[in-house]
Coordinates of all heavy atoms in Angstrom, one line a residue:
M30 N 86.3 136.1 82.0 CA 87.2 135.7 81.0 C 88.4 134.9 81.6 O 89.0 135.4 82.6 CB 87.8 137.0 80.3 CG 88.9 136.8 79.4 SD 89.6 138.3 78.9 CE 89.2 138.2 77.2
P31 N 88.6 133.8 81.2 CA 89.7 133.0 81.8 C 91.0 133.6 81.6 O 91.3 134.4 80.7 CB 89.6 131.7 80.9 CG 88.3 131.6 80.3 CD 87.9 133.1 80.1
V32 N 91.9 133.4 82.6 CA 93.2 133.9 82.6 C 94.1 132.7 82.2 O 94.2 131.7 82.8 CB 93.6 134.4 84.0 CG1 95.1 134.8 84.0 CG2 92.8 135.5 84.4
F33 N 94.8 132.9 81.1 CA 95.7 131.9 80.6 C 97.1 132.1 81.1 O 97.6 133.2 81.1 CB 95.7 131.9 79.0 CG 94.4 131.5 78.4 CD1 93.4 132.4 78.1 CD2 94.1 130.2 78.2 CE1 92.2 132.1 77.7 CE2 92.9 129.8 77.7 CZ 91.9 130.8 77.4
S34 N 97.7 131.0 81.6 CA 99.1 131.1 82.0 C 100.0 131.0 80.9 O 99.7 130.5 79.8 CB 99.4 129.9 83.0 OG 99.4 128.7 82.3
A35 N 101.2 131.5 81.1 CA 102.2 131.5 80.1 C 102.7 130.1 79.8 O 103.2 129.8 78.7 CB 103.4 132.4 80.5
S36 N 102.6 129.2 80.8 CA 103.1 127.9 80.6 C 102.0 127.0 79.9 O 100.8 127.3 80.0 CB 103.5 127.3 81.9 OG 102.4 127.2 82.8
S37 N 102.4 125.9 79.3 CA 101.4 125.0 78.8 C 101.9 123.6 79.1 O 103.1 123.4 79.4 CB 101.3 125.2 77.3 OG 102.5 125.0 76.7
Q38 N 101.0 122.7 79.1 CA 101.4 121.3 79.4 C 101.2 120.5 78.1 O 100.4 120.7 77.2 CB 100.4 120.7 80.4 CG 100.5 121.3 81.8 CD 99.5 120.7 82.7 OE1 98.5 120.2 82.3 NE2 99.9 120.6 84.0
S39 N 102.1 119.5 77.9 CA 102.0 118.6 76.8 C 101.1 117.5 77.1 O 101.2 116.9 78.2 CB 103.4 118.1 76.4 OG 104.2 119.1 76.0
T40 N 100.3 117.1 76.2 CA 99.5 115.9 76.4 C 100.3 114.7 75.9 O 101.4 114.9 75.3 CB 98.2 116.0 75.6 OG1 98.5 116.0 74.2 CG2 97.4 117.2 75.9
R41 N 99.8 113.5 76.0 CA 100.6 112.4 75.6 C 100.7 112.3 74.1 O 101.5 111.6 73.6 CB 100.0 111.1 76.2 CG 98.7 110.7 75.6 CD 98.1 109.5 76.3 NE 96.9 109.1 75.7 CZ 96.5 107.9 75.6 NH1 97.2 106.9 76.1 NH2 95.4 107.7 74.9
F42 N 99.9 113.0 73.4 CA 100.0 113.1 71.9 C 100.8 114.3 71.4 O 100.9 114.5 70.3 CB 98.6 113.2 71.3 CG 97.7 112.0 71.7 CD1 96.7 112.2 72.6 CD2 98.0 110.8 71.2 CE1 95.9 111.1 73.0 CE2 97.2 109.7 71.5 CZ 96.2 109.9 72.4
G43 N 101.5 114.9 72.3 CA 102.4 116.1 72.0 C 101.7 117.4 71.7 O 102.3 118.4 71.4
E44 N 100.4 117.5 72.0 CA 99.7 118.7 71.8 C 100.0 119.6 73.0 O 100.2 119.1 74.1 CB 98.2 118.5 71.6 CG 97.8 117.6 70.5 CD 96.4 117.2 70.5 OE1 95.6 118.1 71.0 OE2 96.0 116.1 70.1
H45 N 99.9 120.9 72.8 CA 100.1 121.8 73.9 C 98.7 122.3 74.3 O 97.9 122.8 73.5 CB 101.0 123.0 73.5 CG 102.4 122.6 73.4 ND1 103.2 122.3 74.4 CD2 103.1 122.3 72.2 CE1 104.4 121.9 73.9 NE2 104.3 122.0 72.6
V46 N 98.4 122.3 75.6 CA 97.1 122.7 76.1 C 97.4 123.8 77.1 O 98.1 123.7 78.1 CB 96.4 121.5 76.9 CG1 95.1 122.0 77.4 CG2 96.2 120.4 75.9
A47 N 96.8 125.0 76.9 CA 96.9 126.1 77.7 C 96.2 125.9 79.1 O 95.1 125.3 79.1 CB 96.4 127.4 77.1
R48 N 96.9 126.2 80.2 CA 96.3 126.1 81.5 C 95.6 127.4 81.8 O 96.1 128.4 81.5 CB 97.3 125.8 82.5 CG 98.0 124.5 82.3 CD 99.1 124.2 83.3 NE 98.6 124.6 84.6 CZ 99.2 124.4 85.8 NH1 100.4 123.8 85.7 NH2 98.7 124.8 86.9
F49 N 94.4 127.3 82.4 CA 93.7 128.5 82.7 C 93.0 128.3 84.1 O 92.8 127.2 84.5 CB 92.7 128.9 81.7 CG 91.5 128.1 81.6 CD1 90.3 128.3 82.3 CD2 91.5 126.9 80.8 CE1 89.2 127.5 82.3 CE2 90.4 126.1 80.8 CZ 89.3 126.4 81.5
K50 N 92.7 129.5 84.7 CA 92.0 129.5 86.0 C 90.7 130.3 85.8 O 90.7 131.3 85.2 CB 92.8 130.1 87.1 CG 94.1 129.4 87.5 CD 94.8 130.1 88.6 CE 96.0 129.3 89.1 NZ 96.6 130.0 90.3
C51 N 89.6 129.8 86.4 CA 88.4 130.6 86.4 C 88.6 131.7 87.4 O 89.4 131.6 88.4 CB 87.2 129.7 86.9 SG 86.7 128.5 85.7
S52 N 88.0 132.8 87.0 CA 88.2 134.0 87.9 C 87.0 134.1 88.9 O 85.8 133.9 88.5 CB 88.3 135.3 87.1 OG 87.1 135.4 86.3
I53 N 87.3 134.5 90.1 CA 86.3 134.7 91.2 C 86.5 136.1 91.7 O 87.6 136.5 92.1 CB 86.5 133.7 92.3 CG1 86.3 132.3 91.9 CG2 85.6 134.1 93.5 CD1 86.4 131.2 93.0
V54 N 85.4 136.9 91.6 CA 85.4 138.1 92.3 C 84.7 137.9 93.6 O 83.5 137.4 93.7 CB 84.6 139.2 91.5 CG1 84.4 140.5 92.3 CG2 85.3 139.5 90.2
F55 N 85.4 138.1 94.7 CA 84.9 137.9 96.1 C 84.7 139.2 96.8 O 85.7 139.9 97.0 CB 86.0 137.0 96.8 CG 85.5 136.5 98.1 CD1 84.8 135.3 98.2 CD2 85.8 137.2 99.3 CE1 84.4 134.9 99.5 CE2 85.4 136.7 100.5 CZ 84.6 135.6 100.6
V56 N 83.5 139.5 97.1 CA 83.2 140.8 97.7 C 82.8 140.6 99.2 O 81.8 140.1 99.5 CB 82.0 141.5 97.0 CG1 81.8 142.9 97.5 CG2 82.2 141.5 95.5
D57 N 83.6 141.2 100.1 CA 83.4 141.1 101.5 C 84.2 142.2 102.2 O 85.4 142.4 101.8 CB 83.7 139.8 102.1 CG 82.9 139.5 103.4 OD1 83.1 140.3 104.3 OD2 82.2 138.5 103.5
D58 N 83.6 142.9 103.2 CA 84.4 143.9 103.9 C 85.1 143.4 105.2 O 85.7 144.1 105.9 CB 83.4 145.0 104.3 CG 82.2 144.6 105.2 OD1 81.8 143.5 105.0 OD2 81.8 145.4 105.9
D59 N 85.0 142.1 105.4 CA 85.7 141.5 106.5 C 87.0 140.9 106.1 O 87.1 139.9 105.4 CB 84.8 140.3 107.1 CG 85.4 139.6 108.3 OD1 86.6 139.8 108.6 OD2 84.7 138.9 109.0
P60 N 88.1 141.6 106.5 CA 89.5 141.2 106.0 C 89.8 139.8 106.4 O 90.5 139.0 105.6 CB 90.4 142.2 106.7 CG 89.6 143.3 107.0 CD 88.2 142.8 107.3
S61 N 89.4 139.3 107.5 CA 89.8 137.9 107.9 C 89.0 136.9 107.0 O 89.6 135.8 106.7 CB 89.4 137.6 109.4 OG 88.1 137.8 109.6
L62 N 87.8 137.2 106.6 CA 87.1 136.2 105.8 C 87.7 136.3 104.4 O 87.8 135.2 103.7 CB 85.6 136.6 105.7 CG 84.7 135.7 105.0 CD1 84.8 134.2 105.5 CD2 83.3 136.1 105.1
V63 N 88.1 137.4 103.9 CA 88.8 137.5 102.6 C 90.1 136.7 102.6 O 90.4 136.0 101.7 CB 89.0 139.0 102.3 CG1 89.9 139.1 101.0 CG2 87.7 139.8 102.0
R64 N 90.9 136.9 103.7 CA 92.1 136.1 103.8 C 91.9 134.6 103.8 O 92.6 133.8 103.1 CB 92.9 136.5 105.0 CG 93.7 137.8 104.9 CD 94.6 138.0 106.0 NE 94.0 138.0 107.4 CZ 93.4 139.0 107.9 NH1 93.4 140.2 107.4 NH2 92.9 138.9 109.1
L65 N 90.8 134.2 104.5 CA 90.5 132.7 104.6 C 90.1 132.2 103.1 O 90.6 131.2 102.7 CB 89.3 132.5 105.5 CG 88.8 131.1 105.6 CD1 89.8 130.1 106.1 CD2 87.5 131.1 106.4
A66 N 89.2 133.0 102.5 CA 88.8 132.6 101.1 C 89.9 132.6 100.1 O 90.1 131.7 99.3 CB 87.6 133.5 100.7
Q67 N 90.8 133.6 100.3 CA 91.9 133.7 99.4 C 92.9 132.5 99.6 O 93.4 131.9 98.6 CB 92.7 135.0 99.6 CG 93.7 135.3 98.6 CD 94.2 136.7 98.6 OE1 94.0 137.4 99.6 NE2 94.9 137.1 97.6
G68 N 93.1 132.2 100.8 CA 93.9 131.0 101.2 C 93.3 129.7 100.6 O 94.1 128.8 100.1
L69 N 92.0 129.6 100.6 CA 91.4 128.4 100.1 C 91.2 128.3 98.6 O 91.3 127.2 98.0 CB 90.0 128.2 100.7 CG 89.9 127.9 102.2 CD1 88.5 128.1 102.7 CD2 90.5 126.6 102.5
L70 N 91.1 129.5 97.9 CA 90.7 129.5 96.5 C 91.9 130.0 95.6 O 91.8 129.6 94.4 CB 89.5 130.4 96.3 CG 88.2 130.0 97.1 CD1 87.2 131.1 97.0 CD2 87.8 128.7 96.5
S71 N 92.8 130.7 96.0 CA 93.8 131.4 95.1 C 94.7 130.4 94.4 O 95.2 130.7 93.3 CB 94.6 132.5 95.8 OG 95.4 131.9 96.9
Q72 N 94.9 129.2 94.9 CA 95.7 128.3 94.2 C 95.0 127.8 92.9 O 95.7 127.6 91.9 CB 96.1 127.1 95.1 CG 97.1 126.2 94.4 CD 97.6 125.1 95.3 OE1 97.4 125.2 96.5 NE2 98.3 124.1 94.8
D73 N 93.8 127.6 93.0 CA 93.0 127.0 91.9 C 92.2 128.0 91.1 O 91.7 127.7 90.0 CB 92.0 125.9 92.4 CG 92.8 124.8 93.1 OD1 93.8 124.3 92.5 OD2 92.3 124.3 94.1
Y74 N 92.0 129.2 91.5 CA 91.2 130.2 90.8 C 92.0 131.6 90.8 O 92.8 131.9 91.7 CB 89.9 130.5 91.6 CG 89.0 129.2 91.7 CD1 89.1 128.3 92.7 CD2 88.1 129.0 90.6 CE1 88.3 127.2 92.7 CE2 87.3 127.8 90.6 CZ 87.5 126.9 91.7 OH 86.7 125.8 91.7
D75 N 91.7 132.4 89.8 CA 92.2 133.7 89.7 C 91.3 134.5 90.8 O 90.1 134.9 90.4 CB 92.0 134.3 88.3 CG 92.4 135.7 88.2 OD1 93.1 136.3 89.1 OD2 92.0 136.3 87.2
F76 N 91.8 134.7 92.0 CA 91.0 135.3 93.1 C 91.1 136.8 93.1 O 92.2 137.3 93.2 CB 91.5 134.7 94.4 CG 90.7 135.1 95.6 CD1 89.5 134.4 95.9 CD2 91.1 136.1 96.4 CE1 88.7 134.7 97.0 CE2 90.3 136.4 97.5 CZ 89.1 135.7 97.8
R77 N 90.0 137.5 93.0 CA 90.0 139.0 93.0 C 89.1 139.5 94.1 O 87.9 139.6 93.9 CB 89.5 139.5 91.6 CG 90.2 138.9 90.4 CD 89.5 139.4 89.1 NE 90.0 138.6 88.0 CZ 89.5 138.6 86.8 NH1 88.4 139.3 86.6 NH2 90.0 137.9 85.9
P78 N 89.8 139.9 95.2 CA 89.0 140.3 96.3 C 88.6 141.8 96.2 O 89.3 142.6 95.6 CB 89.9 140.2 97.5 CG 91.3 140.3 96.9 CD 91.2 139.7 95.5
C79 N 87.4 142.2 96.7 CA 87.0 143.6 96.7 C 86.3 143.8 98.1 O 85.5 142.9 98.5 CB 85.9 143.8 95.6 SG 86.6 143.7 94.0
A80 N 86.5 144.9 98.7 CA 85.9 145.3 100.0 C 84.5 145.8 99.9 O 83.8 145.8 100.9 CB 86.9 146.2 100.7
T81 N 84.1 146.4 98.8 CA 82.8 147.0 98.6 C 82.2 146.5 97.3 O 83.0 146.2 96.3 CB 82.8 148.5 98.7 OG1 83.6 149.0 97.5 CG2 83.5 149.0 99.9
A82 N 80.9 146.7 97.2 CA 80.2 146.4 95.9 C 80.6 147.4 94.8 O 80.8 147.0 93.7 CB 78.7 146.4 96.1
E83 N 80.9 148.6 95.3 CA 81.3 149.6 94.3 C 82.6 149.3 93.7 O 82.9 149.5 92.5 CB 81.3 151.0 95.0 CG 79.9 151.6 95.4 CD 79.4 151.0 96.7 OE1 80.1 150.2 97.4 OE2 78.2 151.4 97.0
E84 N 83.6 148.9 94.5 CA 84.9 148.4 94.1 C 84.8 147.3 93.1 O 85.4 147.3 92.0 CB 85.7 148.0 95.3 CG 87.1 147.6 94.9 CD 87.9 147.1 96.1 OE1 87.5 147.3 97.3 OE2 89.0 146.6 95.8
A85 N 83.9 146.4 93.4 CA 83.7 145.2 92.5 C 83.0 145.7 91.2 O 83.3 145.2 90.1 CB 82.7 144.2 93.2
Q86 N 82.1 146.7 91.2 CA 81.5 147.2 90.0 C 82.6 147.8 89.1 O 82.6 147.6 87.9 CB 80.5 148.3 90.3 CG 79.2 147.7 90.8 CD 78.2 148.8 91.2 OE1 78.5 149.8 91.8 NE2 76.9 148.5 90.8
L87 N 83.5 148.5 89.7 CA 84.6 149.1 88.9 C 85.5 148.0 88.2 O 85.8 148.1 87.1 CB 85.5 150.0 89.8 CG 84.8 151.3 90.2 CD1 85.7 152.0 91.2 CD2 84.5 152.2 89.0
L88 N 85.8 147.0 89.0 CA 86.5 145.9 88.5 C 85.8 145.2 87.4 O 86.3 144.9 86.3 CB 86.8 144.9 89.6 CG 87.6 143.6 89.2 CD1 89.0 143.9 88.7 CD2 87.6 142.6 90.3
L89 N 84.5 144.9 87.6 CA 83.7 144.2 86.6 C 83.4 145.0 85.3 O 83.1 144.5 84.3 CB 82.4 143.7 87.2 CG 82.6 142.6 88.2 CD1 81.3 142.3 89.0 CD2 83.0 141.3 87.5
A90 N 83.5 146.3 85.5 CA 83.3 147.2 84.3 C 84.5 147.1 83.4 O 84.4 147.3 82.2 CB 83.1 148.6 84.8
R91 N 85.7 146.7 83.9 CA 86.9 146.6 83.1 C 87.2 145.1 82.7 O 87.9 144.9 81.7 CB 88.1 147.1 84.0 CG 88.1 148.6 84.3 CD 89.4 149.0 85.0 NE 89.9 148.1 85.9 CZ 89.8 148.1 87.2 NH1 89.0 149.0 87.7 NH2 90.3 147.2 88.0
Q92 N 86.8 144.2 83.5 CA 87.2 142.8 83.3 C 86.0 141.8 83.5 O 85.1 142.1 84.3 CB 88.2 142.3 84.4 CG 89.5 143.2 84.3 CD 90.4 142.8 85.5 OE1 90.1 141.9 86.3 NE2 91.5 143.5 85.6
E93 N 86.0 140.8 82.7 CA 85.0 139.7 82.9 C 85.3 138.9 84.2 O 86.4 139.0 84.7 CB 85.1 138.7 81.7 CG 84.6 139.3 80.4 CD 83.1 139.5 80.3 OE1 82.4 138.7 81.0 OE2 82.6 140.3 79.4
A94 N 84.4 138.2 84.7 CA 84.5 137.3 85.8 C 83.6 136.1 85.5 O 82.6 136.2 85.0 CB 84.2 137.9 87.1
D95 N 84.2 134.9 86.0 CA 83.4 133.7 85.8 C 82.4 133.5 87.0 O 81.3 133.0 86.8 CB 84.3 132.5 85.7 CG 85.2 132.6 84.5 OD1 84.7 132.7 83.4 OD2 86.5 132.6 84.7
I96 N 82.9 133.8 88.2 CA 82.1 133.6 89.4 C 82.2 134.9 90.2 O 83.2 135.5 90.4 CB 82.7 132.4 90.2 CG1 82.7 131.2 89.4 CG2 81.9 132.2 91.5 CD1 83.5 130.0 90.0
V97 N 81.0 135.3 90.8 CA 80.9 136.4 91.7 C 80.3 135.9 93.0 O 79.2 135.4 93.0 CB 80.1 137.6 91.1 CG1 80.0 138.7 92.1 CG2 80.7 138.1 89.8
I98 N 81.0 136.1 94.1 CA 80.5 135.8 95.5 C 80.5 137.0 96.3 O 81.5 137.8 96.3 CB 81.5 134.8 96.1 CG1 81.6 133.5 95.3 CG2 81.0 134.5 97.5 CD1 82.7 132.5 95.8
S99 N 79.4 137.3 96.9 CA 79.2 138.6 97.6 C 78.5 138.4 99.0 O 77.6 137.6 99.1 CB 78.3 139.6 96.8 OG 78.2 140.8 97.5
D100 N 79.1 139.1 99.9 CA 78.4 139.2 101.2 C 77.1 140.0 101.0 O 77.0 140.8 100.0 CB 79.3 140.0 102.2 CG 78.9 140.1 103.6 OD1 77.9 139.5 103.9 OD2 79.5 140.9 104.4
Q101 N 76.2 139.9 101.9 CA 74.9 140.6 101.6 C 74.9 141.9 102.4 O 74.3 142.9 101.9 CB 73.7 139.7 102.1 CG 73.5 138.5 101.3 CD 73.4 138.9 99.8 OE1 72.5 139.6 99.4 NE2 74.2 138.3 99.0
Q102 N 75.6 142.0 103.5 CA 75.6 143.3 104.3 C 77.0 143.9 104.1 O 78.0 143.5 104.7 CB 75.4 143.0 105.8 CG 74.0 142.5 106.0 CD 73.7 142.4 107.5 OE1 74.5 142.2 108.3 NE2 72.4 142.6 107.8
L103 N 77.0 144.9 103.2 CA 78.2 145.6 102.8 C 78.0 147.1 103.1 O 76.9 147.6 103.1 CB 78.5 145.4 101.3 CG 78.8 144.0 100.9 CD1 78.7 143.9 99.4 CD2 80.2 143.6 101.3
P104 N 79.1 147.8 103.2 CA 79.0 149.2 103.3 C 78.6 149.8 101.9 O 79.0 149.3 100.9 CB 80.4 149.7 103.7 CG 81.3 148.6 103.4 CD 80.5 147.4 103.4
G105 N 77.7 150.8 101.9 CA 77.2 151.3 100.6 C 76.2 150.3 100.0 O 75.3 149.9 100.6
L106 N 76.4 150.0 98.7 CA 75.5 149.2 98.0 C 75.6 147.8 98.6 O 76.6 147.2 98.8 CB 76.0 149.1 96.5 CG 75.2 148.3 95.6 CD1 73.8 148.9 95.4 CD2 75.8 148.2 94.2
Q107 N 74.3 147.3 98.9 CA 74.2 146.0 99.5 C 74.3 144.8 98.5 O 74.3 145.1 97.3 CB 72.9 145.9 100.3 CG 72.7 146.9 101.4 CD 73.6 146.6 102.6 OE1 73.5 145.5 103.2 NE2 74.5 147.5 102.9
G108 N 74.4 143.6 99.0 CA 74.6 142.5 98.2 C 73.6 142.1 97.1 O 74.0 141.9 96.0
I109 N 72.4 142.1 97.5 CA 71.3 141.8 96.5 C 71.3 142.8 95.4 O 71.3 142.4 94.2 CB 69.9 141.7 97.2 CG1 69.9 140.5 98.2 CG2 68.8 141.5 96.1 CD1 70.1 139.1 97.6
P110 N 71.2 144.1 95.6 CA 71.2 145.1 94.5 C 72.5 145.0 93.7 O 72.5 145.1 92.4 CB 71.2 146.4 95.2 CG 70.5 146.2 96.5 CD 71.0 144.8 96.9
F111 N 73.6 144.6 94.3 CA 74.9 144.4 93.6 C 74.8 143.2 92.7 O 75.2 143.3 91.5 CB 76.1 144.3 94.6 CG 77.3 143.8 93.9 CD1 78.0 144.5 92.9 CD2 77.8 142.5 94.2 CE1 79.1 144.0 92.3 CE2 78.9 142.0 93.6 CZ 79.6 142.7 92.6
L112 N 74.3 142.1 93.2 CA 74.2 140.9 92.3 C 73.1 141.1 91.2 O 73.3 140.6 90.1 CB 73.8 139.7 93.2 CG 74.9 139.3 94.2 CD1 74.4 138.2 95.1 CD2 76.2 138.8 93.4
E113 N 72.1 141.9 91.4 CA 71.2 142.3 90.3 C 72.0 143.1 89.3 O 71.7 142.9 88.1 CB 70.0 143.1 90.9 CG 69.1 142.2 91.7 CD 68.0 143.0 92.5 OE1 68.2 144.3 92.6 OE2 67.1 142.4 93.0
W114 N 72.9 144.0 89.7 CA 73.7 144.8 88.8 C 74.6 143.8 88.0 O 74.7 143.9 86.8 CB 74.5 145.8 89.5 CG 75.4 146.6 88.7 CD1 75.1 147.8 88.1 CD2 76.7 146.3 88.2 NE1 76.2 148.2 87.4 CE2 77.2 147.4 87.4 CE3 77.6 145.2 88.4 CZ2 78.4 147.4 86.8 CZ3 78.9 145.3 87.8 CH2 79.2 146.3 87.0
V115 N 75.2 142.9 88.7 CA 76.0 141.9 88.0 C 75.2 141.1 87.0 O 75.7 140.9 85.8 CB 76.7 140.9 89.0 CG1 77.4 139.7 88.3 CG2 77.6 141.6 89.9
Q116 N 74.0 140.7 87.3 CA 73.2 139.9 86.4 C 72.9 140.7 85.1 O 72.9 140.2 84.0 CB 71.9 139.5 87.1 CG 71.0 138.6 86.3 CD 69.8 138.2 87.0 OE1 69.3 139.0 87.9 NE2 69.3 137.0 86.8
Q117 N 72.7 142.1 85.3 CA 72.4 142.9 84.1 C 73.7 143.2 83.3 O 73.7 143.3 82.0 CB 71.8 144.2 84.5 CG 70.5 144.1 85.1 CD 69.9 145.4 85.5 OE1 70.7 146.4 85.7 NE2 68.6 145.5 85.6
H118 N 74.8 143.4 83.9 CA 76.1 143.9 83.2 C 77.0 142.8 82.9 O 77.9 143.0 82.0 CB 76.7 145.0 84.1 CG 76.0 146.2 84.2 ND1 75.0 146.4 85.1 CD2 76.0 147.3 83.4 CE1 74.4 147.6 84.9 NE2 75.0 148.2 83.9
R119 N 77.0 141.7 83.6 CA 77.9 140.5 83.4 C 77.1 139.3 83.5 O 77.2 138.4 84.3 CB 79.0 140.5 84.4 CG 80.0 141.6 84.3 CD 80.8 141.4 83.0 NE 81.9 142.3 82.9 CZ 82.3 142.9 81.8 NH1 81.6 142.7 80.7 NH2 83.3 143.8 81.8
P120 N 76.1 139.1 82.5 CA 75.2 137.9 82.6 C 75.8 136.6 82.5 O 75.2 135.6 82.9 CB 74.2 138.2 81.5 CG 74.9 139.1 80.5 CD 75.9 139.9 81.3
R121 N 77.1 136.5 82.0 CA 77.7 135.2 82.0 C 78.3 134.8 83.3 O 78.7 133.6 83.4 CB 78.8 135.2 80.8 CG 78.2 135.4 79.5 CD 79.2 135.5 78.4 NE 80.0 134.2 78.4 CZ 81.0 134.0 77.6 NH1 81.3 134.9 76.7 NH2 81.7 132.9 77.7
A122 N 78.5 135.7 84.2 CA 79.0 135.4 85.5 C 78.0 134.6 86.3 O 76.8 134.8 86.3 CB 79.4 136.6 86.2
V123 N 78.5 133.6 87.1 CA 77.7 132.8 88.0 C 77.7 133.4 89.4 O 78.8 133.8 89.8 CB 78.2 131.4 88.0 CG1 77.3 130.5 89.0 CG2 78.1 130.8 86.6

């Protein structure tokens, strides 16, 4: 679900257009990789980091996401089974 900012921009015709950011759920247990991805993506995307697939499942059970990026080797639930869960529970996410 897109996150709409409180601010809006005027077009040259005087219309107001809400600005929004696509949301990315980024699942990785490597803090340095999470920081790197956050630095690259958080300005343009609603960046939601999770350290485990289970943490991401809890987040996705409460909130929609546009994009899900996952490491394959995670503690607990691994990446492929997690992405299969995402496909079943959040089919609109890429």
Side-chain angles (χ1 to χ4, degrees):
M30 171 188 242
V32 175
F33 292 90
S34 69
S36 65
S37 60
Q38 294 182 327
S39 295
T40 66
R41 66 184 187 150
F42 301 108
E44 300 171 34
H45 292 285
V46 178
R48 294 177 46 171
F49 70 94
K50 292 182 178 185
C51 289
S52 59
I53 296 179
V54 173
F55 188 85
V56 187
D57 202 305
D58 59 329
D59 181 346
S61 61
L62 188 55
V63 172
R64 281 191 303 275
L65 175 65
Q67 189 166 16
L69 293 171
L70 299 171
S71 64
Q72 184 173 351
D73 297 319
Y74 297 92
D75 176 20
F76 187 81
R77 304 176 194 167
C79 296
T81 66
E83 292 84 0
E84 181 183 348
Q86 285 177 317
L87 291 173
L88 175 68
L89 291 167
R91 296 186 320 266
Q92 301 175 2
E93 292 283 339
D95 298 304
I96 301 168
V97 178
I98 300 171
S99 179
D100 185 9
Q101 294 306 303
Q102 294 185 331
L103 295 164
L106 183 63
Q107 297 292 298
I109 296 294
F111 165 66
L112 291 174
E113 290 170 344
W114 180 92
V115 171
Q116 188 175 31
Q117 289 178 344
H118 293 86
R119 292 290 187 220
R121 294 179 59 179
V123 176

